[in-house]
Each structure stands twice: as structure tokens, then as C-alpha cells.
Amino acid sequence: MVTTARLPPPGIEGLDPAWSRLVTAVDADAVERTWHVLDSEVTEGTGRGDEVARGGTVLCVHGNPTWSYAFREVLAAPPAGWRVVAVDHLDMGYSERTGTHRPLARRIDDLGRLTAALGLSGPVVLLAHDWGGPIALGWALAHRDQVAGVVLTNTAVHQPEDAPAPSLIRSARLPAMLETVTVRTPAFLRGATALSRPSLPAAVRDAYAAPYASAERRAAIGGFVRDIPLEPDHPSAAVLDHLAGRLGELAGVPVLLLWGPKDPVFSDRYLHDLEARLPQADVHRVEGASHLTPEDADLAGALHRWIPARVPMGPDALPSPGRRTGAPETDTAPLAAGEAATAPADGQRTPLWAALAEPHRADTDAIVEPPAPGDELRRPRRWTFGELAGDVHALAAGLHAHGVQPGDRVACMVPPGRELAVLLYACWRLGAVVVVADAGLGPKGLSRALRSAAPQHLVGIPRALAAAAALRWPGRRIGAGEVPAALRRSASVEVTLDQLIERGYRLIDHGPGPLATHEPDDALPPPPAADAEAAIAFTSGSTGPAKGVVYRHRQLEAQRDALRRAYAIGDDDRLVAAFAPFALYGPALGITSMVPDMDVTAPATLTAAALADAVAATEATLVFASPAALTNVARTAEELRGDQRTALAGVRTLMSAGAPVPAALLRRLAAVVPSAAAHTPYGMTECLPVADIDLTTIEAVGPGNGVCVGRTIPGVEVAISPLDANGAATGALVREPGVTGEVCVAAPHVKDRYDRLAITELTSSRDPGWHRSGDVGPLDANGRLWIEGRLAHLISTAAGPVTPVGIEQRVEAIEHVAMAAAVGVGPIGTQQVVVVVATDPAPGSRQLAPLTLVDRVRSAVPEVDIAAVLVVPKLPVDIRHQSKIDRARLGREAAELLAGRGLGRRRRRPEASVADDNADPNHGDGGGS
Amino acid sequence: MKVLVTGASGLLGRDTAVALASRGDEVTVLQRRPSGLAGTQAGAGPPIREVLGDIADAEVVRSAVTGQDGIVHLAARVGVVGTEEEFRHANIDGTLQVVSAARARHVPRLVHVSTPSVAHAGEPLVGAAADQADTVHTIGHYARTKARAEQLALHAADALGVVAIRPHLVWGPGDTQLVGRIVARARAGRLALIDDGAALIDTTYVDNAVDALVAALDHAEDDAVRGRAFVISNGQPRTVAELLARICRAAGLPAPHRRVPLGVAHAGGAAAERLWARLGRTDDPPMTSFLAEQLATAHWFDQREVRAALHWEPRVGLEEGFERLAAWFAAGADA
């Protein structure tokens, strides 16, 4: 039955009636059909459809069972210079009901005829969701000269062979179910919007359903489901296969894959399939988003970031096939990241594993571990560099024989010590990419991190393997340590590290021996290039989902060298590290290293005695620990024996990092390690170290409006991006003292990029060569950097942005205040400052502070108008450092309390942010040293 | 400048008239009862002239308006007690007379003093802008009639420099509305917090409100001002608990400790309104449902635009305001 196209009825939530228009085009059967499209450039009195957009057109192609409505936010805010056109497929939305079945090939053809009728002859960026993906890609291959970019979100072009089709789709496709679920009832239609996370307002769900009010109007919903080629002889299977096979023709086209990982239909598996077919793609996973990404993620915001960065504008800017596009453009001459940001050429590099095999240290201890639990003689266990080098070589060969390829990702869920060192350096020599996720992220955080990184292999100790099986972490499993047989079966453990080392030794055929770095090696592929990817680390996740951070070999090598330079580390040094990242660098630095007897995932378990024993076992000169660990060391220092104190007196440098270190703690530690200079490196997961300060300097500079983190270490440059009136770091980079803004860092050891967070990456590296840290502060006249808080924690008042740390420091000096946080409530630009304090003694529950405390807080911070002071039993802090306050959460709680309650309040639905510049607490993850 | 101030018997009207006179303006005041300002000589200007009469009386208003360069229209019926007709008379008819007289006599500037409640239906206002006056969803005769009055006044912006100023909770020494009631109830031991008193609320120290009205008069014909409605406040919201405690402290009284849940206060307020209506009492009941909700929900406003448009900034911060209030109580001026 044919029903003509019509305009949507008025009053659809969020849909501007001015966008709607009906367009007539001849279809593949030479029949005139009428389409409903949304068009951002339809204005009264213009020749509709004749005009060619000045810049180009974003062509939005919806899936099943949605309609162009899904793209309303893109229409409401088109990327600058772009027209946005969103179509309703024939028989879908408000387009004509043709009464015909329109399989994939026909729909691709239909779309081409429509764009011809629309006169879209300029550059086109396709934006497609779900079934819109194959249709849009079909259009792109047919209009290769016009395609300026492709944005795909939760779609697929191929059913991976090793996995069944999504069960939701298979059940909907059952002949008995199909008509009932998709056409006769609105079950499929309503189910699609029910998938959205967080759940959609009723008005939006109704809007999605509005064009599909009857079984007749829903016929094509069933048609789309019927067209899913689950069987190889399905008529559309060949079309889809052909299309999937031709995606290489889009090699020169910028592609963004924007993904909702909670999608029960198009899981990450389909993302990985598309990534393999479109290797040039930028990938951004929107944590928390489900299938209906146009609702769950901020598509419009992502386009605002991505299109200007990747899609060149203008009629001559169409990419030629094979050319990589998109140098970001800047209006003003950028502050050049100088020599610091350039790494040495490939020829001069020293690979990470090189120091292991140098003959002069073959008999020197490389790794020392605390005594084995059953050892009554309490003898530390020791491995020489020679032994370590042999094991590394063997494991690299064993891993390779097991199927680990250069470029594969290997999750390393092994605590610091000899086994982890062997694994890391073996992976690096082999060219595999280590994924290092901290148990401090918790099971949920680890699951998210590992799903995002998607390692091909997972190496874990029994506890990690059990979690991997229970939480279905990705990767073929390799056991570390002793893995009980039952667990090997239940967690599908294929092999253990010990077995692989043994196998490797057989392959390299000369027993324990030096790691051959420069000689040809039958058992191993050539060493990875300096530019090969080496590691993925994760941010602490204290203010949002942890972000994966990708490092290349040259960047890790530069980090090793930066540490060596900053702390004058030589062959005579020995390192005790209670802080995971640094424990790993001992072998690369060619020095003996040891992790003291502690649970590294819980730094506060480090006792003074355990630290002293490790220092004694290694005659350590360097100690590295987090503030939480050092706090406990200071607390337990009284238990030290005389010989332990003597051992600690040999330490020359004490380094404390990961979170702000109170000077008072450093002073207390001076009694424990009397000869040591107390240093505090400042940095972040994305670049460490950036700067350094010692206790003497901390005391000399005195208090300020934040934490002084010192001067940059050699090879690192810092510049400031000044804040605008609303607290956004929009200013061009400057180095003038006294200007407060976002701290930007250039160094050869800055991260390569965020992993599968392309939009976040564009934000963080929008000044080429510079990493935006997300920390805020000024440089002082002596070139020292001060950190006044996180960009995401700025309080945006009518009088301008206010940074929290200085306020907190002064409030924490008030008697009975244990910890303080300054947060903003209210809209950006007119926020009020609220101070939340944990008092000692603690109150029973969150409440307004008594007037006397309010008065004291206000007089401690006279220059800021403080609207309210709240007292709480405890401030929420991060798991890893126990010191980064979750100000975002405190701000929400304060806002809720101080809003009072009406008798009928409405709540707004949050949306996962992908492109928010500065309000997003997930960007960067530094935090004071 | 020759200025008519209507409703000068209240705190804000009186202080505004005096402020205008002190800077040399020729001030006429119009209200039903003597303001005590007649013949007052403040500063350089001539003595204040007083006209007594009903603000809804066309003849009275027309004669008072004649020859003026500007009008600050404050006259209104406030509170919760009274029939709809009584509120309509003072607030809608009164404003209509002022606006038509201003049109007829070509008075170039009119500052219509409104109230934030004209756009408020009970939801929390957090850093809010001044929404359009709403005669449908607002609660109570006062807010509804004031909403209509504001619409009438702003409608005249085609011919006059009209601006509506909505001062939020004006207080200061001599204020009988807010400070007077709180202190009276505290003295009687009947002051309680609704819920935990944590809602943030904007207030306006009276001198700042006066400055804002004078600034509005001076800038009423500016493009950024004409035809607009602005909420004004100190821009320093505080919790209800702190505001009550500070007012009590200024009066030498202990802060309230009793708490009443919102639901109870709301129901009690509604009951009191019914009772007062049945008894025909003309004073305000101790609690109303509207007041209960007002005291339990945040109300504070974005002040950036109004400050820029009026070229005005509050001169007296809350802290200084409370000190002045305490000094006033200490001097026994409220007795």
C-alpha cells in the first residue's frame, strides 16, 4: 500500500519543524518517490534543494528502527561551515510508504538518487548509525570523489566468523517471531529506544515511535530485519561482502568510529572488525553508551571536534586516495614545542632491553625479591642481569612461538617483581604492546579498561585469571606463577610463563645466556622500531572512567632517559620502588631494583621495617614510594631496629609521587632516611616526570595559592593556556609568569595518544606537540610551576574562575579541619563557591557547618565569597592514591543539598560526553605530584 | 530630574525617594497613607512633595504623573491575605493607571518594581535568569496579579523606557517584612527551620536595591534595559539556616534550632490559609504553603547581565549589612 510522505506533526520533542522538507526523487524502478529529510539550511524563500552548501554537507543516515530524528542535535548545532542533511529512508520515518521490500542494494541506490535530487555535489561527510552504516558506505563507494569523511557509529559490515550473530537479532529474525515483533507489534521499535543508557525521557521515546504508529507504517522495520544476511545464501550477503571487501578503497578518507560499548547488538567485536578494515580510522569509545549512540553520546560535540581537525575544507580539499589527511589548523602562530619534544633519531636509540644484556653487569643483581614465604632463613631472592636477560630472550621466543605477534596487545596482570620484569621486557623485545592495568582500578574499572584496550593475550596470576574468567575479560590466557589445575581449566589457561620460558630456551638453543639484541635471531622477529607501540597504561580513573594511554618505544626510552637525567642515576645506584611504574624501569636503567614486601595495590601496607629490609637487601640509594606508603612508613618508624636504621641511612634520594605530598610528611621522613634528599616529582600518566621539587625548596618558597611542584626537569617544557571568563582554557599558550591556566607539557616522553578515545585525544593535543594536562596553575617568576587544581574542578563564578587548592590549603589550616574541598554549585559562569570539610571529630552525617566554622572559613579566604560550608564525615578520595578528592561528586552532592527540595522536582538526563572541552572531568589525569 | 515614586511608605520606596532627593532630583511621592516624607529636604534637591490617594484612581495618578521625567512604581498590595479583587485593584488596576498616565503625559522613563515570584512556580532556582512573568503557573493572588502588572508595564516599552526590576528579598534596618517577622517569631520562640534549612537563597540589602532602582531609572531608555525584566540581589546567596541565624544574631537572639519537615510545613501553611480566610483575618498567617516551599527550595539568580546593563554593583556586602542591622538593633531602633 502506498502512502505518500508527509511532514512530522508539530510538537515532537527537540525537532524544529523548519528543518523538515519533502523531496521527490525517482527510485531504482523509475517510480517517483517522496522522501522526508531534515535539512539545517532550509530557510524561507530560498530555492530548496538547488543550493549547494558553501562548505560541505554532513549526510546523516539512520538505521532500523529509527528515523532522521536521531540526528536532531547535529542539525541543531551543525559543525561550522557545514550543512546537515538527515534522510528518512523510504518506508521509514515520514518518507513514502512504497509497499515494496527494499534490500540493501536497492537502498544504496535509493540514497544516491535522493542525493542527486538534493543537488549534493560538494564534499560530504557521512554520519551513519546501525543499518545506516552499510547504506552510507555503499553510497561512499559509489561517490568516492565526493566523500570527505565517514563517521560510523555502532554498525557493522561483516559478521565475524568466530562468533555467532547477536542473539537479539537472531531471535528477531526467527520466522515465527519476525512479523510479530517488528511489524504487528511495536516491540522491536520500542525495544530499540529502551536500549538507551541512561534511559530516555518518555517524550523522546515517543518521538522515535511517532512515524510508526500502525502495522502498515512499520512494514519496513520488518523488512530491514529480514534483510540481515545471517545465511550465506541470503540475497544481501553478497552485497554486504562485496561492500566490506571494498572498504580499502576509502583508504584516503578520514574515518571516525564512534562507539557505544554497552551495545548488546553491535559489541566491540564489530568495532574491531571495522578498525581492521579501516585502519586509518580514529576510534572513540564512549564509556557507558549503548546501541542508540545518537542519544547516549554527544555526536554533535564529537563532530565539532573531529571535522575541523580531520576534514579539510573547501572545494579543492577533497582528499586524494591514499593520502593521510588532516593536519590540525590553528589561527595564531603556535608556541613551538622546542628541542625538548624531539626524540633522538632511530640510529642513536637505546632500546628498553639494551641494558639487560650489557656484559659488564651480567653478574650484578637485576631483581631482588623479598624472601619466599616458607624461607626460615629469610634470604632475599636474587636474579642477575645475565639471568634476567636469558629469561627475557627465552620468554620472547616462547611467546612468539605461542602466537604472540609484534603489535599484539598483552595484558600484564602480574605484580611487580621478577616475573613481571621478564614479561614486560620480553614483550618489548618481541614487539608486543604491554597493557598495564592497575588492580587499584577495582574489578569494574579493570573490566572497562581491558574491554577498551581489547588485548589479544592476557597474562595473569591466579587471582587475575579467576577474575578474567568471571568477568569475561578479553584475551587468550597465559598463567603467571603457580596456576592450580582446576583454575587452568576453568579460566581456559593455555600455558604458563614458566612453560613458555622453558619452550623459549629450547628454541634459542643455548641455555640461559645474554639477550642477543643486535644479532639475527631465528626464534624472534626483528626488534620493534622506535616508533612501534610499546605500552598502554591507564589513568587513575579518580574522576571518571580510566583512560588508556598509548606509548611508543621511543617515548618509553625517553622516559627512562628523563628519569636517569633528572635524578643523576648511575651504575652505582640501586632502587627500591613501592610505586609500580618506577619499579619497572630498574632493568632498563641497568640498576638493581626491588619491590619491598607489601601489597602494591594497597600502598598503605608498606611498613618502615619492610622498606628497611628491602633497602638493606639491595643497599639501595634510591627509594620511590607514594605518599600513602610513606605516611605508613613514618607511622611505623618507631618499630625499626638499629640495623634497619643503618641501612636506611644509605639512601641518598627519596622520591614521592602520585599525589600531593605534604611537606610535614617529608619532614617526618627526614628522621627515617636522614641522608636522603626528599624529592617530589610532578607528572601524570600521560607524561612523567614533568617537574621536580625538593623539600628544601618547598620550605623556601612558602605557601601560595596552590602546590608548588618546582621547575621542569631537563628536556621538558611547560606552557600555560590562559582561562577565559568561564574558566575554559581557550587561550594561546604562553610562558609568562603569573598567568593562571591549563598546564601544557611538551617532552619526548609525552604519551603518543589516548587509546580508542580519539575525540579526547584531539582535545588534549589541540596545540600540536603539546599535551594538555588538565591541571591548572601559573608559572612563577622563578620558573616554578604551581598547581591550583584540575581544570574540571575550577569554580566558574560571576567574578571569574576560582581555583580550589589554595582555598583548601587555607581552610585545612583551621583547627579541627582534617581535609577540605572547594566546589562550585550552579551554572557555569555564575557558580557559587561551597567549601566541604571533613572535621575531626567527624560529624555523624553531612550537614551545614555551624556558624562559628562558617565564620572561620570565610575569614581564612576573605577574597572569595563562600556561599556555604558543609561538614561531612569523610571526603571521597581515589583508590589508587587515597588523596585525590572526588570534587565532581562532592559538587553534585552539595548542589543537591543546597537546592533544597520542591514538592515536584524535575531531573535532567545526563549524556555521556565525548567532546566537552573543559567541563569533562575525564580529560587528562594528572593531579599534583 | 523630576521623579514620581509610588508606594513610598514601605522601606524600599521610602529609601528610594530619599536617595533620589539626596542627589538633587525633584521627588513626588504617591501613596494612600502619609509616608512621613512630605517636606523632607534631603541633600541638594527641593523638599519632597507628597500626594495621597489610591494608586488605581485615574485622576490622582494622572495629576501626580504630569510633568515628571521618570516614575519608580512600587505601590502594590503584598502578602497572602485578601481577596483576589483587592490584589487586582492595587496591583493590576494601579499599574494600568500608572502606565496609561505615563503614556498620556509622555513620561520617558518608568521603573516598574516587580517580584521574582512572578516567574516562579515552586521549582528550585539555581543561578537562574529572569524568566518571563507567568500569570498561569504562579501561586497566589499576589504573584499572579504582579505577573499581570509586569506584563502590562513592559507592554508599554514600545512608547516608554520601561524596565521591570524584581528585587529578591529586600532587607535592612527598619524592614518590617522580612527582618521584622523573623525577629518577632524568634522572640516568641516560634521560629523553626523547614527541613535542614540548606536551600541557598538570594537576598538584597536595601541600599543595594535602592541603588539598583536609581540605576534602572537612569538607564531605562538604554537598549539593553528597555522592555526587560531583571532580578536583582546581592549576588551572595546563603542558606536559609544561615540567613535566619544571622538575622537572629543581629537582634541578639539565639539561632532557631527547631526543624519542621517540608511536608508538615506545607500542609500546616495550607491549613492556616484556610483558617485565616474563614476567620476573615487581615494579618498574614504564620505559615503559608507557598512560603513553606519558598523556604525549602533554592532561589538564586545570575546577576551578570543585570549588573552590566544597569552599570550597577551592590555596594554593601552581606557581612556589612548584618553589622549595620546589629547596630540598628543595638541602638534600640526597632522598639
Side-chain angles (χ1 to χ4, degrees):
Chain A
M1 194 180 80
V2 177
T3 315
T4 183
R6 61 193 196 207
L7 295 173
I12 290 184
E13 174 80 13
L15 191 74
D16 185 341
W19 296 330
S20 279
R21 55 193 282 203
L22 301 179
V23 181
T24 305
V26 174
D27 77 359
D29 307 317
V31 181
E32 257 198 6
R33 304 291 188 188
T34 317
W35 298 61
H36 169 245
V37 305
L38 303 178
D39 188 342
S40 67
E41 283 200 5
V42 172
T43 46
E44 296 299 320
T46 60
R48 295 184 158 195
D50 309 331
E51 65 188 274
V52 175
R54 289 177 303 278
T57 304
V58 177
L59 178 62
C60 308
V61 187
H62 71 85
N64 186 41
T66 61
W67 55 290
S68 54
Y69 177 75
F71 302 105
R72 67 195 179 284
E73 287 174 7
V74 182
L75 278 130
W82 290 80
R83 168 188 182 185
V84 179
V85 172
V87 306
D88 283 353
H89 298 296
L90 289 177
D91 298 302
M92 297 292 283
Y94 287 94
S95 284
E96 182 172 326
R97 295 296 182 265
T98 65
T100 59
H101 178 57
R102 309 191 83 81
L104 177 59
R106 184 180 267 200
R107 289 209 176 272
I108 294 171
D109 189 71
D110 284 342
L111 185 61
R113 288 167 194 266
L114 171 68
T115 55
L118 281 167
L120 293 188
S121 55
V124 169
V125 170
L126 290 149
L127 166 59
H129 175 236
D130 186 83
W131 252 113
I135 299 170
L137 288 168
W139 188 94
L141 290 167
H143 299 77
R144 179 63 194 80
D145 55 333
Q146 259 185 283
V147 181
V150 175
V151 180
L152 300 175
T153 177
N154 291 56
T155 180
V157 293
H158 178 69
Q159 176 59 42
E161 283 79 9
D162 58 344
S167 56
L168 275 175
I169 293 299
R170 272 181 294 146
S171 51
R173 274 276 264 106
L174 293 174
M177 297 281 286
L178 196 141
E179 286 297 308
T180 304
V181 168
T182 60
V183 180
R184 276 198 289 276
T185 73
F188 190 80
L189 172 69
R190 285 289 179 173
T193 49
L195 288 179
S196 187
R197 288 293 173 276
S199 60
L200 287 175
V204 173
R205 291 200 305 268
D206 291 347
Y208 273 99
Y212 301 110
S214 65
E216 281 87 41
R217 294 196 62 81
R218 287 191 291 269
I221 294 178
F224 261 109
V225 174
R226 214 177 305 131
D227 198 33
I228 301 170
L230 293 185
E231 311 80 13
D233 58 346
H234 188 287
S236 284
V239 180
L240 196 60
D241 285 348
H242 181 66
L243 190 148
R246 286 182 61 200
L247 292 187
E249 293 174 28
L250 299 175
V253 177
V255 175
L256 171 64
L257 302 175
L258 193 93
W259 215 262
K262 286 201 154 171
D263 190 336
V265 180
F266 297 118
S267 59
D268 277 325
R269 180 181 295 136
Y270 297 89
L271 169 63
H272 301 150
D273 178 71
L274 285 166
E275 281 181 273
R277 291 171 193 279
L278 296 160
Q280 77 273 35
D282 291 313
V283 180
H284 188 99
R285 288 170 84 257
V286 183
E287 201 57 67
S290 177
H291 174 67
L292 202 57
T293 41
E295 298 299 330
D296 295 0
D298 175 15
L299 283 189
L303 293 188
H304 280 261
R305 273 256 163 268
W306 187 79
I307 287 186
R310 290 284 190 259
V311 181
M313 283 293 288
D316 306 325
L318 281 178
S320 54
R323 183 163 65 88
R324 187 78 165 85
T325 53
E329 285 176 30
T330 44
D331 295 338
T332 51
L335 186 59
E339 294 296 310
T342 40
D346 224 356
Q348 302 155 17
R349 71 184 271 238
T350 309
L352 290 167
W353 58 86
L356 275 65
E358 285 173 13
H360 72 273
R361 61 169 71 87
D363 298 324
T364 307
D365 285 344
I367 304 278
V368 182
E369 283 190 6
D375 181 5
E376 290 179 2
L377 297 175
R378 309 273 309 141
R379 288 162 307 185
R381 292 167 289 175
R382 295 167 190 278
W383 290 268
T384 64
F385 274 95
E387 288 167 330
L388 185 64
D391 286 358
V392 166
H393 190 186
L395 181 57
L399 285 169
H400 190 50
H402 181 64
V404 179
Q405 296 297 323
D408 277 5
R409 291 180 170 190
V410 180
C412 303
M413 313 202 63
V414 180
R418 176 236 154 213
E419 201 164 31
L420 179 61
V422 173
L423 174 59
L424 291 180
Y425 288 88
C427 286
W428 283 333
R429 169 57 188 83
L430 174 59
V433 183
V434 300
V435 176
V436 192
D438 186 336
L441 294 173
K444 213 169 146 190
L446 276 175
S447 290
R448 275 203 295 239
L450 290 170
R451 293 224 167 82
S452 152
Q456 283 86 2
H457 313 273
L458 183 150
V459 184
I461 55 171
R463 195 155 48 114
L465 294 169
L471 301 170
R472 285 182 289 168
W473 289 342
R476 291 172 60 188
R477 287 167 198 147
I478 299 172
E482 299 284 325
V483 184
L487 180 61
R488 290 183 66 152
R489 280 191 302 276
S490 64
S492 314
V493 178
E494 297 176 9
V495 68
T496 66
L497 288 182
D498 286 344
Q499 290 171 321
L500 288 176
I501 291 173
E502 215 181 297
R503 183 171 172 191
Y505 272 120
R506 286 199 300 275
L507 288 167
I508 58 179
D509 199 28
H510 48 67
L515 175 61
T517 52
H518 304 296
E519 293 157 30
D521 193 329
D522 291 345
L524 279 178
D531 221 29
E533 290 179 8
I536 295 168
F538 288 88
T539 61
S540 73
S542 55
T543 51
K547 295 187 291 294
V549 178
V550 180
Y551 277 95
R552 298 183 186 274
H553 277 267
R554 61 180 156 79
Q555 289 152 341
L556 292 187
E557 289 159 14
Q559 186 178 36
R560 171 199 61 198
D561 298 342
L563 281 170
R564 193 185 339 246
R565 272 199 308 274
Y567 297 102
I569 297 171
D571 275 359
D572 295 338
D573 280 308
R574 277 128 353 236
L575 170 69
V576 167
F579 188 67
F582 284 83
L584 314 178
Y585 272 127
L589 291 161
I591 62 171
T592 308
S593 60
M594 177 170 184
V595 177
D597 193 7
M598 67 181 295
D599 176 0
V600 286
T601 64
T605 57
L606 179 66
T607 63
L611 179 64
D613 288 345
V615 169
T618 52
E619 295 177 57
T621 56
L622 309 168
V623 168
F624 211 117
S626 67
L630 291 175
T631 302
N632 198 50
V633 167
R635 200 175 60 74
T636 54
E638 283 179 18
E639 298 159 14
L640 287 172
R641 295 188 313 265
D643 60 322
Q644 290 174 319
R645 287 186 184 275
T646 309
L648 288 170
V651 175
R652 73 167 174 91
T653 303
L654 172 70
M655 289 171 282
S656 171
V661 186
L665 172 61
L666 292 180
R667 279 192 288 271
R668 280 168 68 200
L669 288 164
V672 184
V673 278
S675 322
H679 280 263
T680 297
Y682 159 78
M684 58 248 10
T685 308
E686 298 88 339
C687 182
L688 188 71
V690 169
D692 178 84
I693 192 166
D694 59 21
L695 177 58
T696 321
T697 314
I698 292 175
E699 288 177 330
V701 298
N705 191 36
V707 176
C708 182
V709 298
R711 293 206 178 89
T712 53
I713 63 156
V716 176
E717 291 181 53
V718 159
I720 303 295
S721 173
L723 306 175
D724 69 10
N726 284 338
T730 51
L733 303 189
V734 298
R735 290 199 180 92
E736 280 88 348
V739 178
T740 296
E742 185 173 12
V743 175
C744 300
V745 182
H749 57 282
V750 167
K751 67 153 170 37
D752 184 64
R753 64 174 194 281
Y754 288 115
D755 185 38
R756 293 193 171 108
L757 290 168
I759 304 301
T760 312
E761 176 57 29
L762 286 174
T763 304
S764 91
S765 61
R766 68 177 189 263
D767 300 286
W770 294 89
H771 165 67
R772 289 184 167 256
S773 70
D775 281 345
V776 171
L779 287 159
D780 70 14
N782 294 311
R784 294 195 186 97
L785 179 63
W786 291 74
I787 300 300
E788 299 184 355
R790 299 280 300 157
L791 195 57
H793 298 152
L794 283 183
I795 305 163
S796 173
T797 74
V802 171
T803 55
V805 174
I807 297 176
E808 291 161 3
Q809 288 176 328
R810 281 177 282 162
V811 173
E812 282 170 1
I814 297 171
E815 205 184 351
H816 301 303
V817 172
M819 207 172 183
V823 297
V825 299
I828 296 294
T830 188
Q831 286 191 315
Q832 297 295 326
V833 179
V834 175
V835 173
V836 186
V837 298
T839 51
D840 183 16
S845 63
R846 187 182 59 181
Q847 52 194 261
L848 298 181
L851 225 46
T852 48
L853 181 56
V854 175
D855 286 340
R856 276 188 206 153
V857 169
R858 290 214 182 106
S859 22
V861 194
E863 77 284 6
V864 176
D865 187 67
I866 293 170
V869 180
L870 310 180
V871 289
V872 295
K874 192 176 181 314
L875 293 182
V877 291
D878 69 299
I879 298 170
R880 191 191 283 182
H881 302 302
Q882 295 288 313
S883 60
K884 290 184 184 173
I885 300 168
D886 189 347
R887 292 182 184 78
R889 181 175 139 195
L890 277 178
R892 284 193 302 273
E893 290 173 355
E896 189 153 320
L897 178 69
L898 296 171
R901 54 173 184 150
L903 290 165
R905 267 169 72 186
R906 286 174 300 174
R907 280 176 195 281
R908 292 198 55 196
R909 172 181 181 272
E911 180 179 77
S913 167
V914 294
D916 205 344
D917 276 4
N918 299 307
D920 180 2
N922 306 339
H923 290 156
D925 188 85
S929 57
Chain B
M1 178 166 29
K2 292 184 179 172
V3 186
L4 171 68
V5 178
T6 73
S9 45
L11 174 71
L12 182 57
R14 162 202 286 274
D15 284 5
T16 303
V18 172
L20 290 167
S22 330
R23 69 170 196 174
D25 287 344
E26 196 177 326
V27 177
T28 304
V29 296
L30 164 63
Q31 63 283 317
R32 272 181 304 169
R33 283 186 288 273
S35 62
L37 291 172
T40 303
Q41 177 117 31
I48 293 175
R49 185 170 77 97
E50 181 166 71
V51 177
L52 296 181
D54 184 350
I55 192 68
D57 181 329
E59 207 162 308
V60 170
V61 172
R62 212 175 310 136
S63 96
V65 162
T66 304
Q68 303 290 353
D69 303 312
I71 302 170
V72 183
H73 173 48
L74 294 106
R77 184 182 183 98
V78 299
V80 292
V81 171
T83 62
E84 187 179 354
E85 185 41 45
E86 288 168 324
F87 279 95
R88 292 185 63 89
H89 178 81
N91 297 346
I92 298 178
D93 299 348
T95 300
L96 201 53
Q97 291 310 331
V98 170
V99 171
S100 11
R103 270 183 192 275
R105 299 288 184 241
H106 304 290
V107 180
R109 298 172 185 183
L110 170 60
V111 178
H112 173 79
V113 179
S114 187
T115 161
S117 58
V118 300
H120 189 215
E123 72 285 3
L125 295 173
V126 173
D131 281 343
Q132 298 248 315
D134 180 340
T135 54
V136 178
H137 298 102
T138 40
I139 300 158
H141 299 324
Y142 172 67
R144 240 171 249 169
T145 54
K146 285 295 284 183
R148 182 67 192 131
E150 186 182 291
Q151 290 172 344
L152 289 171
L154 292 179
H155 197 64
D158 56 343
L160 312 176
V162 183
V163 56
I165 300 294
R166 306 173 185 167
H168 199 268
L169 288 180
V170 178
W171 61 278
D175 156 39
T176 54
Q177 290 290 317
L178 188 68
V179 172
R181 283 172 202 218
I182 288 168
V183 169
R185 290 179 62 81
R187 284 200 174 123
R190 288 193 293 113
L191 188 63
L193 287 176
I194 293 174
D195 280 352
D196 43 13
L200 280 183
I201 294 201
D202 251 342
T203 64
T204 316
Y205 186 75
V206 59
D207 291 19
N208 300 328
V210 169
D211 287 352
L213 294 186
V214 172
L217 183 67
D218 291 346
H219 293 282
E221 291 175 283
D222 295 2
D223 287 343
V225 175
R226 186 189 187 114
R228 299 288 310 275
F230 296 110
V231 176
I232 56 135
S233 77
N234 256 52
Q236 296 176 286
R238 296 292 183 260
T239 64
V240 172
E242 176 171 351
L243 290 168
L244 295 183
R246 297 231 180 254
I247 289 170
C248 290
R249 187 193 268 188
L253 296 166
H257 288 296
R258 275 195 316 126
R259 275 148 206 259
V260 180
L262 171 60
V264 173
H266 192 266
E273 286 166 63
R274 287 192 297 273
L275 182 65
W276 253 241
R278 201 176 310 143
L279 297 175
R281 286 179 66 159
T282 55
D283 58 335
D284 281 343
M287 177 53 66
T288 66
S289 53
F290 181 64
L291 184 62
E293 191 154 357
Q294 288 268 306
L295 288 175
T297 50
H299 302 67
W300 58 275
F301 295 86
D302 186 350
Q303 288 291 288
R304 288 173 293 177
E305 192 189 5
V306 64
R307 289 184 183 184
L310 300 184
H311 305 274
W312 157 83
E313 290 272 338
R315 272 186 300 135
V316 183
L318 288 187
E319 199 173 342
E320 187 184 341
F322 285 118
E323 278 168 22
R324 290 192 194 180
L325 188 64
W328 181 75
F329 275 112
D334 65 318

